[in-house]
Amino acid sequence: MRRLFYAIAAVLFSIFVLPVSTQAQIVSVNDGKSCETAFIVDTAFTGVFTAGDYWFMSETAMLPIFLYVYPQEESTKAPEVQFDFTCTEGVYDDPDVAKLVDLAAEYKLTLPMHNTLTQGYDADGNRPYMISFNQNYRDLLYNNGVSYSIPAYLRLRLYSTSRVKIVSRSMFSMCRDFTNTLSLNTTLLFEPIDSVNTYVWPIGEWINERYMFVWRGEKKLSMYVGKNCRIDRSNYVRNYFILPDHENNTKMTPARAKEWIKDVNQTDLYVRLFAEGEGTLTLETYSEDVDITDYIIMGQSAIIDREKMTISAILPYGTSQDDMYDAMDDALKDMIANKRYTAFNGEKPKYGKKYATLSIGDKTYTMVITIAQKSGSTISTLNNITIDGVQLLGFKTNILEYLDVEVSNTEANIKAIPTDDKAKVEIDAINSIPSVIKITVTAEAGNQMIYTLHLIKSRSKNTRLLSLMVDGVSVPNFSPSTLYYKMTVNKLPVVTAEAEDSKSTVEIGQAKNVPGFAQIFVTAESGDREIYTIKFSLAQEVLSCNQTAILAQLGRSYQISPNEDIVIGCPARDWSGQNICITWTGQKDMEVYVGSSCLFTTNTNDESVIAHYTLKQPKWTKERRYFFGVNELATLVRKTVDNNIYLRFKTTETANIILSTYIPTCNNRASMIDIPSVQNTQSSVDIPQNAFSTIYSFYLPEWQKKDVKITWT
């Protein structure tokens, strides 16, 4: 399946890393000219491209996706898109890819695909060339076993300089700015106050893992699962679990995860956790793989090769066939009596086809039992392997090959002790690192066993942090050996950290809300990983202040007076996807300040102030307004602690504030360019490079009986 992770590269397509509000950019000469230089796309992208071919790469979690092309020349050849399989070598060698290609027609798709874009209308009434990658693409993947997000490549051919806009409308892209992703093998402390948050459960990323949710607390934890980040106890629920007050778990297996993914048509689930009391929730992997752990025949441990699915042993010289069968019967009885296997549903090992195979559960090994060609002991296994006096990590007598064996240098002292002192051991010299050396064990009877070590240079296993800071201040009582911290904050915190070892890497999952969690992942050079967690709660003064704010409702008016300090709390997260207008009914301009919590002032130097607006009267209306577009509102919400924005005002008169939705038009989207009021003077406006989506307006009544010159510099 790992090949498939890249092989479907040609099957689907997605987006770019720049937020929607980012200005369009001119593309450099070599950008996106090949698979290797493809633009890595995320949720939304706008770029300006000259004529030519360009590559994009994203992940299928971004589906559905919409691609728009706005040529600068009105009469030009239509752009083309093509899924190109050459980005992934040997793609057709994977049977899963061939299966998807064969099934594509059932989903009204043609693979490999080459399409010419057609013209249509976008949300702003423009008529670009466009194409959508919709539900059919997701269904093709998720209904046929591709149950995790995979990279996908697309080649776009342009015939003139064009603006390219790519937008994801996936649930993942809509929810990712407001939800933290759960992490495997980590523990989180939960309290009832934490139940306001939604978390991402990346079942697609963990598709090959067996793991469980374990709750340890005095009271119960309810876990609600759905496909929407707005999930609560009654809406968008797919399933729910009640974890009682003793250690209990909800298990997830690959087969179960695939069914869920097929059901919800996405690789991420969304989880709400309602805690009745304080406790800890642990996500931990576990093993439930039925297998043979050891096979002892005539006192000798046979070699179990789990890749080739064989069990090999050599019996003493002169052993008859009847003696061999008796020995195998004894081996089976010993295996069952001493539990030399793992089973979880009552499975027991058994022979088949006259001792030719040994099966347990759905695993079947081929038996390779031979008789020594001369007398003497046939035991050719090792009892131990040490490197510089330390036992080889993971050594077992019946395991013959070891990957990534770390040694400090070519002088490393490797010793091997045979199980039978009559056996002889030969060890290859270490001539270089990395290298492969063999340890050959020759039994007294002449049969041999070869152990293989793949040597690499020693790597650091240090997963400790040197420092851990929140908003530039060290976390109180920080210690590299302490993995869990609790802090109160008055704004959305920013966590920074530094590893003790420069060879280690640090990744930080910032808290998206408060209360909420930030997690710091420290990965050592060796691949070992440790997770530090900081739980954030709102400071009491913020909680008290937020509770005093007036909760805004769309369409209602609120009186504002110059001698009153009124704070209006707006559930901006709930307004996502809508365009919001603030209307001021006063006769003079009004100052509006937006804070990340209630605890801010009308001082623009206050770091809690995330925006400041002046409500002015446009020349063509009698009302003072400010229009929040969808993207601007989303940007503000990302800076808040609790998904609400808070408004304070500065005015010299008493009047009303009204919050309402609006439909974007040229009037409320346009930026006014004023002409100077004094004769023989000039005014200027800076127009951003490639500002294709910006509309400018002139108020023509002011131009009457005036000579006006427009100059472009």
Side-chain angles (χ1 to χ4, degrees):
M1 289 298 289
R2 194 65 185 169
R3 284 176 297 153
L4 189 58
F5 195 98
Y6 298 98
I8 315 286
V11 178
L12 288 171
F13 158 64
S14 287
I15 327 167
F16 206 34
V17 181
L18 301 176
V20 175
S21 57
T22 303
Q23 292 292 344
Q25 60 179 9
I26 287 287
V27 179
S28 300
V29 174
N30 295 318
D31 288 349
K33 291 296 185 179
S34 66
C35 301
E36 292 73 21
T37 62
F39 291 104
I40 309 300
V41 179
D42 198 350
T43 58
F45 163 66
T46 300
V48 178
F49 298 81
T50 57
D53 288 0
Y54 299 91
W55 289 83
F56 298 88
M57 190 280 283
S58 187
E59 295 187 2
T60 54
M62 294 298 127
L63 292 166
I65 297 152
F66 295 80
L67 168 65
Y68 305 91
V69 177
Y70 301 81
Q72 289 187 2
E73 303 169 13
E74 287 196 17
S75 57
T76 185
K77 191 174 179 180
E80 301 170 24
V81 291
Q82 179 177 344
F83 290 129
D84 197 315
F85 285 83
T86 58
C87 275
T88 308
E89 186 177 350
V91 60
Y92 286 112
D93 295 338
D94 194 306
D96 289 315
V97 176
K99 175 184 175 183
L100 290 177
V101 172
D102 290 339
L103 291 171
E106 296 181 18
Y107 294 85
K108 300 179 181 179
L109 302 173
T110 303
L111 298 174
M113 169 188 153
H114 181 278
N115 267 12
T116 299
L117 275 62
T118 57
Q119 284 187 296
Y121 289 96
D122 64 13
D124 297 325
N126 301 312
R127 201 160 182 265
Y129 290 97
M130 55 197 296
I131 189 172
S132 64
F133 303 90
N134 53 30
Q135 180 79 24
N136 290 352
Y137 293 87
R138 295 192 300 174
D139 290 349
L140 174 63
L141 289 167
Y142 301 149
N143 288 344
N144 294 286
V146 184
S147 49
Y148 43 84
S149 188
I150 59 173
Y153 293 81
L154 177 127
R155 182 170 63 186
L156 173 64
R157 176 166 293 173
L158 301 172
Y159 291 96
S160 69
T161 299
S162 304
R163 177 169 64 102
V164 176
K165 179 181 176 182
I166 310 170
V167 180
S168 167
R169 294 180 186 165
S170 68
M171 186 57 61
F172 176 81
S173 65
M174 289 188 283
C175 292
R176 68 180 209 158
D177 287 329
F178 311 104
T179 52
N180 276 97
T181 302
L182 298 171
S183 303
L184 272 182
N185 295 314
T186 187
T187 298
L188 301 175
L189 175 65
F190 272 92
E191 299 175 272
I193 192 173
D194 299 312
S195 298
V196 301
N197 294 329
T198 303
Y199 299 91
V200 179
W201 177 358
I203 56 173
E205 181 182 334
W206 304 345
I207 192 65
N208 294 317
E209 300 282 356
R210 285 177 168 83
Y211 55 94
M212 54 188 170
F213 291 76
V214 180
W215 171 250
R216 299 177 179 90
E218 295 181 358
K219 297 184 178 180
K220 294 180 180 180
L221 177 82
S222 302
M223 185 167 76
Y224 286 76
V225 177
K227 60 184 295 185
N228 191 310
C229 54
R230 296 179 183 275
I231 183 174
D232 58 30
R233 291 179 190 265
S234 57
N235 293 321
Y236 310 108
V237 176
R238 183 202 180 277
N239 209 334
Y240 73 94
F241 307 91
I242 306 296
L243 303 185
D245 55 3
H246 60 277
E247 182 171 326
N248 198 305
N249 56 68
T250 294
K251 290 185 176 180
M252 181 60 63
T253 63
R256 190 181 193 188
K258 286 181 180 180
E259 284 302 312
W260 284 28
I261 290 170
K262 182 178 179 180
D263 180 36
V264 299
N265 272 327
Q266 59 189 45
T267 57
D268 296 303
L269 291 174
Y270 295 90
V271 179
R272 285 286 297 276
L273 301 156
F274 296 92
E276 296 180 5
E278 184 174 301
T280 58
L281 182 69
T282 302
L283 282 78
E284 57 189 41
T285 54
Y286 71 94
S287 175
E288 201 171 83
D289 193 14
V290 176
D291 200 7
I292 306 295
T293 57
D294 202 1
Y295 183 87
I296 306 297
I297 183 167
M298 288 191 170
Q300 180 180 351
S301 182
I303 300 302
I304 301 175
D305 190 322
R306 289 176 174 80
E307 286 193 11
K308 298 179 180 178
M309 295 299 292
T310 59
I311 298 178
S312 307
I314 299 177
L315 303 184
Y317 174 75
T319 301
S320 67
Q321 192 173 48
D322 288 341
D323 290 341
M324 180 183 73
Y325 290 149
D326 289 343
M328 294 180 76
D329 278 334
D330 292 341
L332 185 64
K333 293 174 183 176
D334 170 72
M335 186 184 305
I336 295 172
N338 293 291
K339 200 69 176 174
R340 301 185 188 276
Y341 62 93
T342 57
F344 299 89
N345 295 307
E347 301 93 343
K348 287 188 178 181
K350 59 183 179 181
Y351 292 116
K353 298 180 181 179
K354 296 184 178 180
Y355 299 95
T357 61
L358 178 58
S359 300
I360 180 168
D362 59 355
K363 290 191 174 181
T364 299
Y365 290 88
T366 299
M367 304 300 298
V368 185
I369 309 297
T370 57
I371 309 299
Q373 297 301 304
K374 64 179 184 179
S375 60
S377 171
T378 60
I379 300 175
S380 57
T381 56
L382 289 176
N383 187 55
N384 200 5
I385 299 176
T386 61
I387 301 176
D388 294 331
V390 179
Q391 180 170 303
L392 175 63
L393 184 66
F395 173 79
K396 288 185 178 180
T397 293
N398 60 355
I399 297 178
L400 298 182
E401 187 169 16
Y402 299 86
L403 304 176
D404 295 340
V405 177
E406 299 184 13
V407 294
S408 55
N409 51 54
T410 56
E411 305 300 319
N413 183 15
I414 299 179
K415 291 184 177 180
I417 301 173
T419 304
D420 185 347
D421 57 12
K422 300 183 185 67
K424 296 180 180 179
V425 177
E426 295 181 26
I427 304 175
D428 291 348
I430 306 175
N431 297 318
S432 62
I433 302 174
S435 63
V436 178
I437 69 164
K438 297 185 182 299
I439 302 174
T440 304
V441 186
T442 305
E444 183 184 22
N447 53 286
Q448 291 185 331
M449 198 77 73
I450 298 177
Y451 292 78
T452 303
L453 309 184
H454 297 260
L455 304 183
I456 62 172
K457 183 73 175 175
S458 294
R459 302 169 298 179
S460 170
K461 294 179 173 59
N462 189 342
T463 57
R464 293 158 61 98
L465 284 178
L466 176 66
S467 66
L468 180 59
M469 308 182 82
V470 175
D471 295 329
V473 179
S474 182
V475 171
N477 302 316
F478 168 71
S479 168
S481 59
T482 302
L483 301 179
Y484 197 92
Y485 300 88
K486 295 174 67 174
M487 291 184 65
T488 59
V489 292
N490 58 16
K491 66 184 186 67
L492 196 63
V494 177
V495 177
T496 54
E498 181 182 0
E500 277 190 353
D501 192 326
S502 61
K503 298 185 183 69
S504 300
T505 59
V506 177
E507 295 180 60
I508 301 175
Q510 302 285 356
K512 301 292 180 67
N513 302 286
V514 180
F517 299 91
Q519 292 198 301
I520 302 90
F521 305 90
V522 187
T523 305
E525 183 187 22
S526 62
D528 294 42
R529 190 176 82 156
E530 193 65 86
I531 303 175
Y532 292 77
T533 302
I534 308 176
K535 178 189 174 182
F536 295 106
S537 301
L538 279 175
Q540 186 57 48
E541 61 266 28
V542 179
L543 286 170
S544 300
C545 185
N546 287 358
Q547 290 169 0
T548 64
I550 299 171
L551 183 62
Q553 296 182 37
L554 293 177
R556 288 192 57 181
S557 63
Y558 302 90
Q559 189 179 83
I560 307 296
S561 300
N563 55 356
E564 288 186 87
D565 181 23
I566 291 178
V567 181
I568 295 180
C570 304
R573 174 69 180 92
D574 295 335
W575 297 349
S576 62
Q578 300 185 77
N579 298 283
I580 304 298
C581 173
I582 299 182
T583 302
W584 171 239
T585 62
Q587 301 302 308
K588 299 177 182 178
D589 294 348
M590 140 91 91
E591 303 293 323
V592 179
Y593 297 80
V594 183
S596 59
S597 72
C598 167
L599 205 65
F600 73 106
T601 67
T602 55
N603 181 349
T604 53
N605 292 324
D606 184 344
E607 64 176 7
S608 296
V609 175
I610 57 177
H612 168 230
Y613 308 102
T614 301
L615 271 58
K616 297 181 179 181
Q617 179 181 341
K619 292 181 171 66
W620 59 86
T621 72
K622 296 181 179 180
E623 296 179 311
R624 288 169 167 80
R625 293 176 172 175
Y626 186 83
F627 298 96
F628 290 102
V630 170
N631 299 325
E632 183 176 7
L633 195 63
T635 300
L636 292 177
V637 174
R638 284 194 288 269
K639 298 178 181 179
T640 66
V641 293
D642 58 1
N643 289 329
N644 300 318
I645 61 174
Y646 295 85
L647 308 180
R648 267 192 162 93
F649 311 93
K650 188 181 288 185
T651 180
T652 58
E653 60 182 324
T654 298
N656 291 332
I657 278 285
I658 303 170
L659 293 100
S660 59
T661 59
Y662 72 92
I663 298 174
T665 65
C666 288
N667 277 347
N668 55 43
R669 290 180 57 210
S671 298
M672 170 66 71
I673 298 180
D674 282 321
I675 64 169
S677 56
V678 180
Q679 191 173 359
N680 296 325
T681 60
Q682 64 180 20
S683 62
S684 64
V685 61
D686 292 326
I687 298 179
Q689 187 181 49
N690 307 306
F692 290 100
S693 60
T694 304
I695 299 174
Y696 298 92
S697 63
F698 302 93
Y699 189 55
L700 292 180
E702 289 192 344
W703 295 31
Q704 295 182 73
K705 300 179 182 180
K706 294 180 181 178
D707 293 324
V708 178
K709 180 173 69 172
I710 300 177
T711 304
W712 171 248
T713 59

